[in-house]
Amino acid sequence: MDTPYTNGYEFTQGSGYALPHYPFVVPAELTSGEVRRHRVVIVGAGITGLTLACGLARLGVEAVLLDEDDTVGVKGAASRGICYTQKSLEIFQRLGLYERIAAKGIQWSVGRTFAGEDEVYSFDLRQQSSFGLSSQPAFINIQQFYIEGYLVERIHALGHVDLRWKSRVVGFVQQEGHATLTVETPAGTYPLQAEHVIDASGSHTPFHAWTGATMTSRRGDDRWCIADVRFRQTPPRERHTWIEAPFNGNRAVWQHLMGDEVWRIDYQMEPNADPEAVSREDVVRERLRQQFGHDVDCEIVWVGPYAYRSQCLDRLRIGSVFFVGDTAKIVSPFGARGGNTGVADADNLAWKLAAVLHGQAPARLLESYHEERHEAAVENVRVTNRTARFLRPADGMERTFRQAAISLARQYPFARSLINTGRMAVANAYTRSGVCDGTGGLSVQNVRLHWADGSTGSVNDLIAWAEGHLLVLLFGDLTVAAAQRLRDIGAATGARAVQVVGPTVRARAREHVLDPQGHLQGACHVFGHAWALLRPDAYIAATGESVDAALIRAIQKALGIPE
């Protein structure tokens, strides 16, 4: 039965996951025989492709989204990604689906790591000021298919994007200024042209071969068994990890709570383990009894094996094709750096495509997608590979270091930071970007502020008000001359400008907001009388002090306009 786009469906029904099914609609090209050219075609309706499509729809960009399936998630597969970072949640808030995620998901802040029976490391994100100022929490755990389903509904509500299910891309030809895709459907095969192709089709994409993409890759021999379990009596609502779990042969274990009171438990297996054998329900139940006791009462929602590899493309753009999410890089599942970085890829590319297609920026702005997100991909691969080596060290120095770190952490607080069960994902900095200067490249949290009438707003509200344009935030007093220069700059560049008024500053601009505690200024990494140039993806492009030619140059650089 086909699932409507807006029916508030629940995916989990008893044992197993029940996913929605969306209707196949015969595309106009098959009916007319006409070869149509589209500005943007996205291939793959996973979390990255859907986030990109939703971001484009919010900015009024027409696009086509092709997916070979007729559902979100993967039929018969697990919850997949479950842990979503503050940066991703802030992006989802801008897209209009954060409230649904917060209502369904589980907020958590406490993480504990054990070696045997000993707790060797713990953290409470509520005590870390870097997370506390945003309107969104540090993390929410929720099954990935829920977010994908919410994105489908939101795209349908926004319009602009043609969602085409049961549409498999089986051919690709790169041409001057565009590409031609061959799309296979239940009603026949047809050609489709695109000026920009975004490949979000996953790690097994054929676009790597079609475009001649090169990459650096590493395959590990680590094997895991993933169990999604619902207990009658639930464990503590905290993130628990074991480096050496006595109930799992002294191998690692992860324990997370998700939506629907379902727990994700990941068991590290022996390197030569038979995937089919370790995933049998009777074997998993025995593993659960060893962990929780022989009287454990639980329902197994899903179980399956997992093996990881790391991979990073050398170029994230080849001709007309942009690689995002798992087509750009694959990381080990430690620290929630997989799906979250795909969401960030989509957010980065969406505003740039919109700026170019709306005539606000030259096409060269799109080159900065590779510069920024490749740097992020390399960093995330490096960080997750380091965790993988800690969890499964090679004999020799790596194993000696791990044993020493665990031994010291049992007694000495200074050594606990050496325990590496996953460095939790944060917004990547852009230090090599051609469109950010040396003062930019940092993410701005969605901090709260007050509108001129005293009502509460946030950074995301300011970004929405800017409607896809760059946003100049001016902190401190504003002279009459500077106010006029700011208006002139806005008229010449299209940038929107707002004065940010502190407790001792008088508002002189018509467009102003109140920042009584200085949280917005702190989030923008500036102090005193200064300006910050904020991009639609909530990254700082540049900062400065005077409203002068330097601000004009920063705006031009942020849009990829040559000097």
Side-chain angles (χ1 to χ4, degrees), residues 2-331:
D2 293 333
T3 302
Y5 287 105
T6 53
N7 69 343
Y9 46 71
E10 294 291 329
F11 294 97
T12 304
Q13 299 174 0
S15 185
Y17 290 121
L19 301 177
H21 293 275
Y22 304 111
F24 166 72
V25 177
V26 177
E29 289 89 340
L30 270 175
T31 303
S32 67
E34 176 187 359
V35 179
R36 296 188 177 185
R37 181 176 297 187
H38 301 271
R39 305 297 298 275
V40 179
V41 173
I42 304 167
V43 183
I47 193 167
T48 303
L50 287 167
T51 299
L52 178 61
C54 194
L56 293 174
R58 188 180 69 87
L59 295 170
V61 175
E62 303 291 323
V64 173
L65 176 57
L66 306 170
D67 191 83
E68 64 185 26
D69 211 339
D70 65 348
T71 184
V72 292
V74 178
K75 291 178 180 177
S79 43
R80 302 189 75 192
I82 66 165
C83 187
Y84 293 93
T85 65
Q86 186 173 90
K87 181 64 177 179
S88 292
L89 297 173
E90 290 170 342
I91 293 169
F92 292 138
Q93 198 276 337
R94 288 202 300 275
L95 297 180
L97 55 143
Y98 167 72
E99 296 300 330
R100 296 189 71 183
I101 293 171
K104 170 58 68 174
I106 301 296
Q107 292 188 28
W108 66 274
S109 60
V110 175
R112 303 187 188 279
T113 298
F114 302 88
E117 302 295 333
D118 300 324
E119 182 177 316
V120 294
Y121 179 69
S122 66
F123 59 83
D124 187 343
L125 297 174
R126 291 171 298 187
Q127 298 176 3
Q128 299 181 17
S129 60
S130 58
F131 289 102
L133 298 180
S134 177
S135 299
Q136 277 63 55
F139 288 96
I140 287 181
N141 283 5
I142 183 173
Q143 292 89 326
Q144 179 175 324
F145 52 72
Y146 273 119
I147 297 180
E148 292 175 357
Y150 300 157
L151 282 164
V152 170
E153 294 185 356
R154 182 63 176 151
I155 291 166
H156 185 69
L158 289 169
H160 300 292
V161 174
D162 182 2
L163 283 161
R164 300 187 183 184
W165 305 100
K166 304 296 285 185
S167 298
R168 179 186 180 90
V169 178
V170 295
F172 169 83
V173 178
Q174 187 106 257
Q175 292 152 305
E176 186 65 32
H178 71 282
T180 299
L181 309 177
T182 303
V183 184
E184 182 182 82
T185 78
T189 301
Y190 67 95
L192 176 151
Q193 293 183 349
E195 294 178 16
H196 305 285
V197 178
I198 292 85
D199 180 19
S201 58
S203 59
H204 300 293
T205 174
F207 280 91
H208 289 168
W210 288 339
T211 61
T214 59
M215 66 193 72
T216 302
S217 61
R218 173 182 178 271
R219 183 176 293 276
D221 62 355
D222 217 357
R223 300 291 181 268
W224 293 75
C225 178
I226 300 172
D228 290 357
V229 182
R230 185 182 287 113
F231 294 95
R232 301 293 183 261
Q233 293 183 332
T234 61
R237 297 164 75 94
E238 300 174 341
R239 174 187 184 261
H240 284 189
T241 61
W242 285 261
I243 311 168
E244 298 174 342
F247 51 83
N248 189 42
N250 281 331
R251 293 181 295 272
V253 174
W254 264 250
Q255 181 177 300
H256 272 275
L257 178 61
M258 307 179 287
D260 303 320
E261 295 296 319
V262 175
W263 288 81
R264 158 75 69 81
I265 305 178
D266 296 7
Y267 295 99
Q268 187 183 38
M269 298 287 98
E270 296 179 357
N272 58 353
D274 177 5
E276 184 176 347
V278 300
S279 301
R280 289 202 327 260
E281 182 169 336
D282 62 316
V283 174
V284 174
R285 287 195 177 277
E286 177 57 31
R287 204 173 290 132
L288 289 166
R289 283 192 288 270
Q290 291 180 25
Q291 180 176 357
F292 296 100
H294 284 278
D295 58 348
V296 62
D297 188 2
C298 64
E299 168 196 356
I300 295 179
V301 181
W302 182 90
V303 64
Y306 179 79
Y308 65 79
R309 71 183 192 274
S310 65
Q311 176 178 296
C312 185
L313 294 193
D314 298 322
R315 289 286 308 172
L316 302 193
R317 180 188 184 184
I318 301 176
S320 302
V321 181
F322 297 83
F323 295 100
V324 297
D326 285 352
T327 70
K329 53 83 191 69
I330 302 171
V331 298

